[in-house]
Amino acid sequence: MKNRFSKYLPVLFWYKSYNKQSFSNDMIAALIVTIMLIPQSLAYALLAGLPPEAGLYASIVPIILYSIFGTSNALAVGPVAVVSLMTAAALGNIVQQGSVGYATAALSLAGLSGVILLMMGFFRLGFLANFLSHPVIAGFITASGIIIAVSQLKHIFGIDAYGHNLWDLIVSLVWNFPQTNIFTLVIGMTAVLFLFWVRKNLKTLLGRVGVNPWVSDLVTKVGPVTVVVVSTVSVWGFDLSDQGVKIVGDVPQSLPPFTLPDFSVSLLQELFIPALLISVIGFVESISVAQTLAAKKRQRIDPDQELIGLGAANIGAAMTGGFPVTGGFSRSVVNFDAGAETPAAGAFTAIGLAIAALALTPLIYYLPKAILAATIIVAVLGLVDFSILKRSWNYSKVDFIAVAATILLTLIFGVELGVTIGVGISVALFLYKTSRPHIAEVGLIAGTEHFRNVKRHKVYTDPLVLTLRVDESLYFANARFLENVIYDRVALDCPVKHVILQCSAINEIDFSALESLESINEHLNDLEIKLHLSEVKGPVMDRLRQASLLDELTGQVFLSQYDGFKKLTSISGSTR
Amino acid sequence: MKNRFSKYLPVLFWYKSYNKQSFSNDMIAALIVTIMLIPQSLAYALLAGLPPEAGLYASIVPIILYSIFGTSNALAVGPVAVVSLMTAAALGNIVQQGSVGYATAALSLAGLSGVILLMMGFFRLGFLANFLSHPVIAGFITASGIIIAVSQLKHIFGIDAYGHNLWDLIVSLVWNFPQTNIFTLVIGMTAVLFLFWVRKNLKTLLGRVGVNPWVSDLVTKVGPVTVVVVSTVSVWGFDLSDQGVKIVGDVPQSLPPFTLPDFSVSLLQELFIPALLISVIGFVESISVAQTLAAKKRQRIDPDQELIGLGAANIGAAMTGGFPVTGGFSRSVVNFDAGAETPAAGAFTAIGLAIAALALTPLIYYLPKAILAATIIVAVLGLVDFSILKRSWNYSKVDFIAVAATILLTLIFGVELGVTIGVGISVALFLYKTSRPHIAEVGLIAGTEHFRNVKRHKVYTDPLVLTLRVDESLYFANARFLENVIYDRVALDCPVKHVILQCSAINEIDFSALESLESINEHLNDLEIKLHLSEVKGPVMDRLRQASLLDELTGQVFLSQYDGFKKLTSISGSTR
């Protein structure tokens, strides 16, 4: 009993070996991550269309719950860019942004997403995430990054703009462009340029003037905090909010409140598909980060337990005024680099953020929204990576189609439709590929026991013996294709008396393919042609023994293609 | 130019060699098929919810058009049981049966189905039909047969009953049971029993008393016609229609009329999905029959040209008062057995049916509908085959699930939802299987160069060298699974210094899997473990050369697993 219980509570494994050294490492990591997370949390709340405090709340209880249920030692859970964008897209279709219903719907979305993740974990459905192929994820993240960056331009210009796809956003930006607030624009542009400079050049510069790398790394990471402080002081000092610069304003001084999501049936129905997509995409993002970090330390991540950890975190977000969360890439890497040893580092980060939420919010009254937008833009443009287009083009046109389609569809139709159609396309392309397998007619290379494609090699063949090698498992989608190929081949080539199927690359024969083989056997028999199999794999043979094909087979099953060919050509020789 | 044109007109190939012998063979076949088709056509019209003459019309022009555009010499095109049932199900949701709109909607359904088939033919999309797996088709046909037989019981009892799934039909049959007409029931039951007896026992009996097999075969085939004649004469002689026996009544004496389908946008939208399903299922049924018959004579069937032939036939049905048609199993086999040599046999059948439509319809005024229902019941119960459940259970549980689910869903929800979900389930199960491939840790069988599963064989392994063989192509759905397996394995087993992936069963590595291999390579490198590949297939290697994996690979690519193992174990030997 205890064993089964602790399987769902990884905390019970690691707390025993927790010591002073772990504690001090975790504390340092937590401090660094906290400083980085304050502006980031506020900014992602803005991106999700929620008041800034929601970003802080979404980072506190979820982190603690993940540290209890999760299996990664370095993963930092909280609001992330793509999930925040998907939250805004999901809620924007249902309720008015800024209304009370909007914040409540965000809770429902987090709660529903948490339940979905928990269910997937209990039923061990983590493998479902594998159907998001690399090309689809890469295309989706790139397109989302562009949409997010463009959606934040309104804050940089100090104008209004709405939309969840590129076209709508650009149209409304252009339309409202004349209302641009020049003070906001200067603040926003300066912040964007400065943050890019910090990101790209500062570390190198500090290194060149002889600053300790650890210090220069730290300085680079607190760059956004500097921008926050400088801009807030400037707006306050020069009374820029009177000039139309939009500021964060009153943020309640409070620990995360206890909240109850709205779980009315009609709302849940509307939110189900978005919640499912957010869950799966959040899970894929999180597990990739967790696995990358764990592999560096030869640690294991249990994907199904991760689902439970993320599920608990989202339910926590729903109960404490947050919105959907997942394991974020940048914060987790910072946490890892800063030396976090156990999930306790996450809990300490939560304490830091709780102090910020309780005590520091009056200090950000004058923080311009343009600064938060600048933080987001710089962060998400790092996600945009068009090189995937070139790499996939070089490697495989089919994969290129999946990437390009996902990018285009996401930009044109928004995140939900983009990723859904992307998955559909990659599954369809896979099925299409496997439905027309490579089937080679093979012959013997003189002086060897090897058989090779007659089109590529000079090989010995016998006009009475046709050998085909199928380079794919046989299943329903390609079974009839094989029938067509064989019938076409023997219809054209009348002397053939034996057909050998070389099965060395056939990993599986499903029931449809079995029936196809039976009908191939029967039809060839009508034509007085014998069907033989060679090099059938063990597991495939085990299964075939349970069917009647082997009894009805007009020919034989040869252990090796060479044995079969040798035997049949000598047999044929005697009948010639 | 001429060549391209004649590609779409197979008639141009065969008419040149047409001679007197072909003509006489085709004429005999046509006569036999015509006699069999008259009651069958009337019955299927009834099943589709249409007036009886629609069945005759649907057999005339479509046959002629197929004989021009189709590639099978024996296929007989016309109304068939399953497609007629699907027609009734599709139209029943939209218009009232018996209304003028119903017959017009049937024309639209045939026209739309014809256009879909033509488009699939022009764009060479015939392979789409392969996604209807054998288990799904078998389950679907069995369930449809049951639904059809039950739906016809109302005519046997002389009562009303409606519904497109088993439950609705049974409920309304039970509800209306008290209205049973005893005369109708006696006629209907007698006909059913007699037809079953003809089918099962007559041929054997005639054979036993020394009748020529060809004659006894012919007698068996005209059995239904005898029932039609005897019952019509009885109803007329005993005035049974005054006793409530429902009769066919007035059937216009006419050649097929020229009709225009209703192609309003709203109707086409409602009919599109049903038309698509009817097209695909009709195509699958037709191509299976055509291929079976063609293979017996070493003839070729071009699936994409078949689509065009069936498309033309359906458009013909739409223009001449018919309803959706396809190549039928029983009539085609009869045609083939009777010696049809060319598609001209079909054209002669059409002439015979045209004569019937023009001259013989007054003779069937008194034909009881119960007789038509009996004809259908006996025909479709031949389609019901539960042995597929047992056979698929023995062979593979996954295929069994697909069969059982399709049967159940079709019975419960009707034909359209049944077959759609059936296809969805078989695709999902296939993806699930391939997403968790068999990955075996292998070792060397002493004294050989063969590597086998360590769990099944006594093999030699080296603690520093881990060899894994993946028995599946690597693609997005299983790429991460491989990563998990490898990380778990090396996390538990610290001494490992070399991982060899034996790629002999990998027919394809897609872009996602390539990225997974790259990250496996990188992570193993972090752990100071080298990644090697062995026995990579030619086409896979060609593709890998276009990516950077081979440059970055920490280990080597070995032509054979044995070479690699030998080399690495001796290397390790020197470092021990």
Side-chain angles (χ1 to χ4, degrees):
Chain A
M1 189 62 208
K2 210 222 141 198
N3 210 353
R4 194 199 285 176
F5 181 64
S6 63
K7 190 187 122 199
Y8 290 115
L9 275 179
V11 64
L12 299 178
F13 289 113
W14 59 260
Y15 90 100
K16 292 176 203 154
S17 56
Y18 206 67
N19 58 28
K20 217 170 151 187
Q21 181 60 39
S22 315
F23 175 77
S24 104
N25 286 341
D26 284 349
M27 276 300 281
I28 294 171
L31 187 69
I32 295 172
V33 175
T34 305
I35 292 171
M36 191 189 108
L37 278 196
I38 293 173
Q40 211 182 74
S41 303
L42 300 171
Y44 289 146
L46 199 73
L47 173 57
L50 290 161
E53 65 270 21
L56 292 175
Y57 300 158
S59 301
I60 299 172
V61 173
I63 289 186
I64 296 174
L65 287 171
Y66 178 83
S67 72
I68 298 170
F69 294 101
T71 58
S72 166
N73 292 334
L75 198 71
V77 170
V80 305
V82 172
V83 167
S84 301
L85 172 70
M86 292 181 81
T87 300
L91 301 182
N93 295 330
I94 299 173
V95 274
Q96 178 74 40
Q97 194 167 320
S99 69
V100 179
Y102 191 91
T104 317
L107 301 176
S108 307
L109 191 62
L112 190 54
S113 167
V115 172
I116 291 172
L117 288 162
L118 280 184
M119 288 295 116
M120 285 174 70
F122 282 123
F123 293 113
R124 311 192 78 72
L125 298 178
F127 72 91
L128 284 180
N130 297 342
F131 289 98
L132 280 173
S133 66
H134 281 243
V136 170
I137 295 170
F140 175 72
I141 299 276
T142 289
S144 302
I146 294 171
I147 293 180
I148 294 172
V150 173
S151 79
Q152 296 307 302
L153 287 180
K154 64 178 176 186
H155 295 296
I156 303 289
F157 288 88
I159 60 182
D160 278 338
Y162 298 100
H164 299 296
N165 61 56
L166 196 59
W167 178 246
D168 288 356
L169 282 167
I170 290 178
V171 167
S172 79
L173 281 173
V174 170
W175 188 254
N176 293 318
F177 180 73
Q179 275 86 54
T180 299
N181 180 291
I182 192 72
F183 296 97
T184 309
L185 184 60
V186 168
I187 293 172
M189 287 306 294
T190 312
V192 168
L193 294 175
F194 176 73
L195 288 172
F196 265 120
W197 179 79
V198 166
R199 199 186 178 92
K200 297 261 176 202
N201 306 358
L202 183 59
K203 203 169 162 186
T204 333
L205 191 77
L206 290 175
R208 216 174 290 159
V209 300
V211 176
N212 174 320
W214 193 85
V215 174
S216 72
D217 200 48
L218 193 67
V219 169
T220 311
K221 262 163 211 152
V222 297
V225 179
T226 326
V227 177
V228 166
V229 173
V230 171
S231 64
T232 308
V233 170
S234 315
V235 172
W236 170 71
F238 299 107
D239 273 342
L240 290 180
S241 67
D242 294 347
Q243 304 296 328
V245 172
K246 285 190 192 117
I247 55 174
V248 168
D250 270 323
V251 177
Q253 274 183 277
S254 148
L255 284 176
F258 175 71
T259 51
L260 273 181
D262 173 3
F263 274 163
S264 64
V265 173
S266 65
L267 185 64
L268 290 187
Q269 278 178 340
E270 286 191 283
L271 290 179
F272 183 76
I273 297 292
L276 183 66
L277 291 174
I278 288 177
S279 304
V280 173
I281 288 173
F283 172 61
V284 170
E285 179 166 358
S286 183
I287 195 91
S288 317
V289 179
Q291 253 165 359
T292 303
L293 300 179
K296 286 187 199 283
K297 291 195 173 176
R298 283 201 183 213
Q299 287 161 346
R300 287 189 66 226
I301 296 295
D302 173 356
D304 291 310
Q305 183 60 33
E306 280 302 284
L307 283 165
I308 291 171
L310 292 176
N314 273 290
I315 288 173
M319 310 284 281
T320 58
F323 57 100
V325 295
T326 192
F329 180 73
S330 55
R331 69 181 65 187
S332 301
V333 172
V334 171
N335 197 30
F336 181 85
D337 288 347
E341 273 199 13
T342 71
F348 301 147
T349 305
I351 295 170
L353 289 169
I355 294 171
L358 201 56
L360 307 181
T361 56
L363 299 180
I364 56 168
Y365 182 91
Y366 285 105
L367 172 61
K369 287 188 173 178
I371 296 297
L372 296 179
T375 317
I376 296 177
I377 290 173
V378 175
V380 295
L381 286 183
L383 302 177
V384 174
D385 173 18
F386 283 109
S387 76
I388 181 82
L389 281 171
K390 186 160 175 290
R391 284 183 292 134
S392 60
W393 173 266
N394 286 340
Y395 186 70
S396 142
K397 303 299 171 278
V398 167
D399 286 303
F400 170 79
I401 293 172
V403 181
T406 308
I407 292 182
L408 276 179
L409 292 168
T410 306
L411 290 179
I412 296 171
F413 297 112
V415 283
E416 291 176 5
L417 222 56
V419 75
T420 312
I421 305 182
V423 170
I425 288 176
S426 53
V427 169
L429 289 173
F430 169 70
L431 292 175
Y432 179 73
K433 269 192 297 188
T434 56
S435 76
R436 332 201 77 166
H438 182 239
I439 299 182
E441 186 173 339
V442 297
L444 182 67
I445 293 190
T448 72
E449 300 191 359
H450 294 297
F451 285 76
R452 290 286 183 279
N453 195 334
V454 294
K455 288 189 187 150
R456 294 195 186 186
H457 299 84
K458 223 182 140 125
V459 291
Y460 170 70
T461 56
D462 183 311
L464 301 188
V465 181
L466 168 68
T467 304
L468 296 175
R469 191 192 69 218
V470 186
D471 289 343
E472 189 74 64
S473 287
L474 292 178
Y475 78 112
F476 59 87
N478 61 29
R480 217 169 276 123
F481 182 79
L482 175 66
E483 286 189 62
N484 290 342
V485 168
I486 292 184
Y487 298 157
D488 285 359
R489 186 61 182 74
V490 297
L492 295 170
D493 200 66
C494 277
V496 168
K497 287 287 158 209
H498 299 276
V499 172
I500 312 180
L501 278 189
Q502 189 186 347
C503 303
S504 48
I506 296 175
N507 297 313
E508 161 113 30
I509 294 179
D510 82 350
F511 191 69
S512 299
L514 174 74
E515 299 217 319
S516 275
L517 289 177
E518 286 171 352
S519 81
I520 290 170
N521 181 51
E522 197 179 303
H523 288 166
L524 292 181
N525 192 29
D526 289 346
L527 306 174
E528 295 178 357
I529 300 175
K530 289 195 186 339
L531 176 68
H532 310 264
L533 307 177
S534 77
E535 301 186 8
V536 182
K537 296 196 172 187
V540 174
M541 200 65 195
D542 287 350
R543 175 137 325 151
L544 286 182
R545 285 208 188 87
Q546 289 159 42
S548 58
L549 176 68
L550 296 182
D551 304 331
E552 289 159 11
L553 198 67
T554 50
Q556 305 172 49
V557 180
F558 298 109
L559 277 180
S560 88
Q561 169 59 26
Y562 183 70
D563 290 349
F565 190 75
K566 207 170 51 176
K567 187 147 179 218
L568 292 178
T569 45
S570 65
I571 288 174
S572 328
S574 68
T575 60
R576 248 180 283 183
Chain B
M1 189 61 208
K2 208 220 143 199
N3 210 356
R4 193 200 285 175
F5 181 66
S6 64
K7 191 186 125 202
Y8 289 115
L9 274 179
V11 64
L12 299 179
F13 289 114
W14 59 260
Y15 90 99
K16 290 176 206 156
S17 55
Y18 205 69
N19 57 29
K20 216 170 153 186
Q21 180 61 38
S22 315
F23 176 77
S24 103
N25 286 341
D26 284 350
M27 275 300 280
I28 295 170
L31 187 68
I32 296 172
V33 175
T34 304
I35 293 171
M36 191 190 108
L37 278 195
I38 295 175
Q40 212 183 75
S41 302
L42 300 171
Y44 288 145
L46 198 75
L47 172 58
L50 290 162
E53 65 270 21
L56 291 176
Y57 300 159
S59 301
I60 298 174
V61 174
I63 288 187
I64 295 175
L65 287 171
Y66 178 83
S67 72
I68 298 170
F69 295 100
T71 59
S72 166
N73 291 333
L75 197 71
V77 170
V80 305
V82 172
V83 167
S84 301
L85 173 71
M86 293 181 81
T87 300
L91 301 182
N93 296 329
I94 299 173
V95 272
Q96 178 75 39
Q97 195 168 319
S99 69
V100 178
Y102 191 90
T104 317
L107 300 176
S108 306
L109 191 62
L112 189 54
S113 168
V115 171
I116 292 173
L117 288 163
L118 279 183
M119 289 294 114
M120 286 175 70
F122 282 122
F123 295 112
R124 312 193 76 73
L125 299 178
F127 71 92
L128 285 180
N130 297 342
F131 289 98
L132 280 173
S133 66
H134 281 243
V136 170
I137 297 171
F140 175 72
I141 299 277
T142 288
S144 302
I146 295 171
I147 293 181
I148 294 172
V150 173
S151 78
Q152 294 307 302
L153 286 180
K154 63 178 175 185
H155 296 297
I156 303 288
F157 287 89
I159 59 182
D160 278 337
Y162 299 100
H164 299 295
N165 61 56
L166 194 61
W167 178 245
D168 287 355
L169 282 168
I170 289 177
V171 167
S172 79
L173 280 174
V174 170
W175 188 254
N176 292 319
F177 180 73
Q179 276 85 51
T180 299
N181 179 291
I182 192 72
F183 295 97
T184 308
L185 184 60
V186 169
I187 293 172
M189 288 306 295
T190 311
V192 168
L193 294 175
F194 175 72
L195 288 171
F196 266 119
W197 178 79
V198 166
R199 200 187 178 92
K200 296 261 175 203
N201 305 4
L202 184 59
K203 203 169 162 184
T204 332
L205 190 76
L206 290 175
R208 217 173 288 158
V209 297
V211 177
N212 175 320
W214 193 86
V215 174
S216 71
D217 200 48
L218 191 68
V219 170
T220 312
K221 263 161 208 153
V222 297
V225 178
T226 326
V227 176
V228 166
V229 173
V230 171
S231 64
T232 307
V233 171
S234 314
V235 171
W236 170 72
F238 299 107
D239 273 341
L240 290 180
S241 67
D242 294 347
Q243 304 296 328
V245 173
K246 286 191 194 117
I247 56 174
V248 169
D250 271 323
V251 177
Q253 274 183 277
S254 150
L255 284 175
F258 176 70
T259 52
L260 273 181
D262 173 2
F263 274 163
S264 63
V265 173
S266 65
L267 186 64
L268 290 187
Q269 278 178 342
E270 286 189 282
L271 290 180
F272 183 75
I273 298 292
L276 184 67
L277 292 173
I278 287 177
S279 305
V280 173
I281 288 174
F283 172 61
V284 170
E285 179 166 357
S286 183
I287 195 91
S288 317
V289 178
Q291 254 165 0
T292 304
L293 299 181
K296 286 187 201 283
K297 291 196 174 177
R298 284 203 180 209
Q299 286 161 346
R300 287 190 67 225
I301 295 296
D302 173 355
D304 290 311
Q305 183 61 34
E306 281 301 285
L307 284 164
I308 290 172
L310 292 175
N314 274 290
I315 288 174
M319 309 283 280
T320 57
F323 58 99
V325 295
T326 193
F329 180 71
S330 53
R331 68 181 64 186
S332 302
V333 172
V334 171
N335 198 29
F336 181 85
D337 288 348
E341 271 199 16
T342 72
F348 301 147
T349 305
I351 295 171
L353 289 169
I355 294 171
L358 200 57
L360 307 181
T361 55
L363 300 180
I364 56 168
Y365 183 92
Y366 285 105
L367 173 62
K369 287 188 173 179
I371 294 299
L372 296 178
T375 316
I376 297 178
I377 290 174
V378 175
V380 296
L381 286 184
L383 302 176
V384 175
D385 173 18
F386 283 109
S387 77
I388 183 81
L389 283 171
K390 186 160 175 290
R391 283 183 293 136
S392 59
W393 173 265
N394 286 341
Y395 187 70
S396 144
K397 302 300 172 278
V398 167
D399 286 303
F400 171 78
I401 294 172
V403 181
T406 308
I407 292 182
L408 275 178
L409 292 167
T410 305
L411 290 179
I412 297 171
F413 298 113
V415 282
E416 290 176 5
L417 220 57
V419 75
T420 312
I421 305 180
V423 170
I425 289 176
S426 53
V427 169
L429 289 172
F430 169 70
L431 292 174
Y432 178 73
K433 269 193 297 186
T434 56
S435 76
R436 332 202 78 168
H438 182 238
I439 298 182
E441 187 174 338
V442 297
L444 182 67
I445 293 191
T448 73
E449 299 191 1
H450 295 297
F451 286 76
R452 289 285 184 278
N453 194 335
V454 295
K455 288 189 188 148
R456 294 197 185 185
H457 299 84
K458 224 183 139 120
V459 291
Y460 169 70
T461 56
D462 184 308
L464 300 188
V465 180
L466 168 67
T467 304
L468 296 175
R469 192 193 68 218
V470 186
D471 288 343
E472 188 75 64
S473 287
L474 292 177
Y475 79 112
F476 59 88
N478 61 29
R480 217 170 276 122
F481 181 80
L482 176 66
E483 285 189 62
N484 289 342
V485 168
I486 292 183
Y487 298 157
D488 284 1
R489 186 60 183 72
V490 298
L492 295 170
D493 199 66
C494 277
V496 167
K497 287 288 158 211
H498 299 277
V499 172
I500 312 180
L501 278 188
Q502 188 186 347
C503 303
S504 47
I506 296 176
N507 297 314
E508 162 113 30
I509 294 179
D510 82 350
F511 191 69
S512 299
L514 174 74
E515 300 216 318
S516 275
L517 288 177
E518 285 172 353
S519 82
I520 289 169
N521 181 50
E522 197 180 302
H523 288 166
L524 291 181
N525 193 29
D526 289 347
L527 306 174
E528 296 177 358
I529 300 175
K530 289 196 184 343
L531 176 68
H532 309 265
L533 306 177
S534 76
E535 303 187 5
V536 181
K537 296 195 172 185
V540 174
M541 199 65 194
D542 288 350
R543 179 146 309 161
L544 286 181
R545 285 208 188 87
Q546 290 159 42
S548 58
L549 175 67
L550 296 183
D551 305 331
E552 289 158 11
L553 197 68
T554 51
Q556 305 171 51
V557 180
F558 299 109
L559 276 181
S560 89
Q561 168 60 25
Y562 182 70
D563 290 350
F565 190 74
K566 207 170 53 177
K567 185 147 182 218
L568 293 178
T569 45
S570 65
I571 290 173
S572 332
S574 67
T575 59
R576 248 179 285 184

